[in-house]
Amino acid sequence: MKIFDAIVVGKGLIGSAAAKYLAEAGLNIAVIGADEPKDVNTATVFASHYDQGRVQRIVGRDAVWTQLNIESTNVYPSLQSQTGITFHYPVGCLYVTLHENDSYLQNLGSQAQQFGFPYQLYHSGEEIGKAYPGFVFPPNARANFEAAPSGHINPRKLIEAQLAVCRQYGSAVISDTVVQVTRVNSTMQVVTQGGQTYQAKQVLLAPGAFANFMQLTHRKLALQLKSETVLLAKVSEAEAERLAQLPSLLYEMETPDLEEIYLVRPILYPDGNWYLKMGSNLTADQRFNTLGQVQGWFRQGNSDNNLAVQKAALDILMPGLQVQEYFTKRCIITYTQHKKQYIGQVDDGVYMATGGNGYSAMCSDAVGRLAAHNLIHAGLPDPYDADDFRLVWAD
């Protein structure tokens, strides 16, 4: 049996990026993960990257997130050029808050000085509305606008580009679900749901929300899994064109039922229609502790029960939006204990990279690079501190 230098378990945003960097480093690798399911009722695992639009920004909650965002966006032009796959749309990103002492805006100046990026502040809802007439905000709103490379990315196409590079280096890209990882003598043995067995010197686990549900490790990570409902507002091509210059939005809006809106302008989806995407945290969000609960959410979850609340918020935010039809989609967020990704060594020959915390799509390339570096060098590159990404176990 062929023995790979490394096998990456999971080919989502982080796994595909890590696989690319391992392949570029000269390792003979395989990346194994499930494709987007054609039938949710027969799928075993799911992900939140089954989508066309995710917000891309630069300024993160702290310097670590900002560094990850900068490194990722710096790679986008060459990755698109190398593969011919377009996934990045630098239309800018608008952050809006109603909180008087908003910590994000308070930290903006110091981060701008540290990383040397420009920003544009707005001090009232009226100012913001004049600059971005597609939106309506209360008078006490304040905002920051980030120009390109902020905007949005297509996660499906980003994964496609990462895996295209893997294939250029001769890596094996395998569509299957890994159900067990064990050590057999001096090698790691990876068993899939499809009944195949693969061997490697090392394994990198990038299983997303499913880290604790398969036989991948001997211990469970401290993870919190939460449902996420996305509202898709179908619009005409003319309406999409009218809003083509709309920046992505992160809005610290709060109501009794909803908070923290994120929004992407109308973009073209695989079904040939144009949809504006809006997501938010909801008081009705569910927490999951078992594989069956997660599968139940993706298969027959009651996301449409959240439609009225999200539609009402969108109507307030964009009262002029001409919508033909509304739909909801079901996603999941994986939170770590320290609210940064888990990147570290699990056991001899086994490494982990998981825990998106709701912000990892926009920096997944850099997270994958850190995970690959950790597998090769048993540590993280400067300027990162391994303690920021330490694994935290549930027991």
Side-chain angles (χ1 to χ4, degrees), residues 225-337:
L225 309 181
K226 183 186 79 69
S227 66
E228 183 86 352
T229 298
V230 170
L231 179 69
L232 294 177
K234 179 182 174 182
V235 302
S236 67
E237 185 173 358
E239 182 73 345
E241 178 62 29
R242 180 179 74 85
L243 299 171
Q245 301 306 311
L246 204 66
S248 297
L249 175 68
L250 296 167
Y251 182 18
E252 296 294 312
M253 180 184 187
E254 286 190 19
T255 74
D257 302 308
L258 170 151
E259 64 178 6
E260 296 180 349
I261 285 174
Y262 60 92
L263 181 146
V264 175
R265 65 178 181 158
I267 52 180
L268 189 64
Y269 273 66
D271 65 359
N273 293 310
W274 296 82
Y275 297 94
L276 178 143
K277 173 191 172 183
M278 189 192 83
S280 59
N281 287 324
L282 300 161
T283 56
D285 285 340
Q286 303 172 43
R287 269 65 179 177
F288 307 122
N289 297 306
T290 68
L291 176 61
Q293 289 173 338
V294 175
Q295 291 174 332
W297 165 247
F298 277 96
R299 290 171 181 170
Q300 65 269 345
N302 59 352
S303 58
D304 282 350
N305 288 356
N306 300 319
L307 194 154
V309 169
Q310 291 187 303
K311 178 181 178 299
L314 182 59
D315 288 343
I316 294 171
L317 175 61
M318 302 183 69
L321 183 66
Q322 301 298 308
V323 180
Q324 297 175 339
E325 198 170 358
Y326 293 95
F327 302 91
T328 63
K329 285 188 64 176
R330 295 181 285 276
C331 300
I332 192 168
I333 297 181
T334 305
Y335 293 106
T336 64
Q337 189 174 87

Side-chain angles (χ1 to χ4, degrees), residues 159-173:
I159 291 172
E160 184 181 332
Q162 305 284 28
L163 295 179
V165 175
C166 290
R167 293 187 175 96
Q168 290 173 6
Y169 281 88
S171 305
V173 179

